Amino acid sequence: MAKPTFIPLTQYEEFPVEEMRGRTRAFHEQLSKRRTVRDFSDRPVPRDIIEKCLLSAGTAPSGANQQPWHFAVVTDGTIKKKIREAAEEEERAFYSGRAPDAWLEALSHLGTDEHKPFLEKAPYLIVVFAQNYGVKPDGGTYKHYYVTESVGLATGLLIAAVHNAGLVSLTHTPSPMNFLSEVLQRPSHERAFLILVVGYPADEVKVPKIEKKTLEDIATFY
Ligand code: IYR
C-alpha cells in the first residue's frame, strides 16, 4: 500500500460573496455562448494554444487520480483523410439502416448526415482515448477505475478550454469507432472515446436553433 502524503492547499482562493456572484454569472454567461459547430474554417491555430487546452483537460479529477486518458492530436492531412474515409463508411451504414428509426428521429433536428468534410477541413482532430488499463514500466498492466466518467470529465474541460480560447469544437462520435485505434496505431489498452474537432468556424456558419433546459428542468434542491 502506498502511504499518503499530504500538503497544504496553498492554491485555494476564497472570494467575498458579491464577487462570487459576479464571477459565477460571468462564467455562466461565457459558457452559455458555446455552440457546437459542424462547419469549420481551415485557418491554422497555433499548436501552443491546443497544448494549453490539453493541459486544462488534464486537470480533470479521475478515479484514483489515474488520469486514464490520452489525446491523439491529428494535424496531418493524410491521417485526417483516412479518418474521414473510415468515419464516413461507418456513418453511411449508420444513417442507411444500422441506426434504429427512433435514434434517427431523435437527432433529426440537428441536420447531421453521413458526410463529414470537417474531418479534413478543421486544423485539429483531437481523438480522445480512454485507457481501461495502465501499463507499468515492466510492461505489466493494472486496472483503471471509473474510466468513462474520468474521460468524460476531461473531455468536458477540454471543450470549455477550447471555447475559452475563442475556438469552436464538435464532439464527433462515429459509431463504431475502433478504426481510430488502427489508423492512429494506438496500443490495445486504449479505446477511442470520441473525436473533438477543433478550429475556427467557417464564415457565415449556421447552427441548429436549439435551447438548453431551464434550471428547474435540470436541478432539484432538497
Ligand atoms: N455519430 C453520428 C450520429 C449522431 C448521433 C448523435 I446521438 C448526435 O447527437 C449527432 C450525430 C454522426 O456523427 O453523424
Side-chain angles (χ1 to χ4, degrees), residues 96-220:
S96 65
R98 194 193 287 147
D101 284 350
W103 191 348
L104 293 179
E105 171 61 29
L107 60 91
S108 58
H109 67 291
L110 298 177
T112 56
D113 61 23
E114 67 274 30
H115 302 292
K116 307 297 178 191
F118 50 76
L119 291 173
E120 283 190 90
K121 190 94 193 274
Y124 287 92
L125 307 181
I126 302 177
V127 186
V128 182
F129 283 90
Q131 300 174 330
N132 289 329
Y133 293 89
V135 181
K136 292 186 281 196
D138 70 0
T141 58
Y142 57 95
K143 188 174 156 44
H144 280 160
Y145 299 95
Y146 294 104
V147 172
T148 304
E149 293 83 347
S150 303
V151 179
L153 290 164
T155 303
L157 291 187
L158 178 58
I159 291 167
V162 164
H163 173 65
N164 179 59
L167 297 167
V168 294
S169 69
L170 163 65
T171 29
H172 178 50
T173 51
S175 161
M177 58 178 122
N178 6 357
F179 68 85
L180 291 164
S181 293
E182 276 162 54
V183 173
L184 299 168
Q185 299 182 330
R186 297 308 308 165
S188 61
H189 66 284
E190 291 183 2
R191 66 179 158 90
F193 185 69
L194 55 75
I195 305 176
L196 197 73
V197 185
V198 174
Y200 289 99
D203 291 340
E204 325 253 326
V205 68
K206 290 222 166 71
V207 292
K209 188 174 183 311
I210 53 171
E211 304 286 337
K212 293 298 181 192
K213 292 180 178 177
T214 65
L215 180 63
E216 291 66 36
D217 286 332
I218 66 169
T220 305

Side-chain angles (χ1 to χ4, degrees), residues 11 13 29 31 40 47-48 70 74 77 88 98 126 129 155 166 188 194 208 215-216:
Q11 69 268 49
E13 227 183 316
E29 197 175 307
L31 274 188
F40 285 79
R47 173 171 159 160
D48 62 296
H70 191 84
V74 181
E88 287 185 336
R98 194 193 287 147
I126 302 177
F129 283 90
T155 303
S188 61
L194 55 75
L215 180 63
E216 291 66 36

Side-chain angles (χ1 to χ4, degrees), residues 77-92:
T78 311
I79 303 177
K80 283 185 195 165
K81 189 165 190 280
K82 278 190 195 159
I83 291 177
R84 177 184 178 178
E85 282 169 1
E88 287 185 336
E89 192 178 323
E90 296 295 359
E91 298 289 9
R92 268 193 298 277

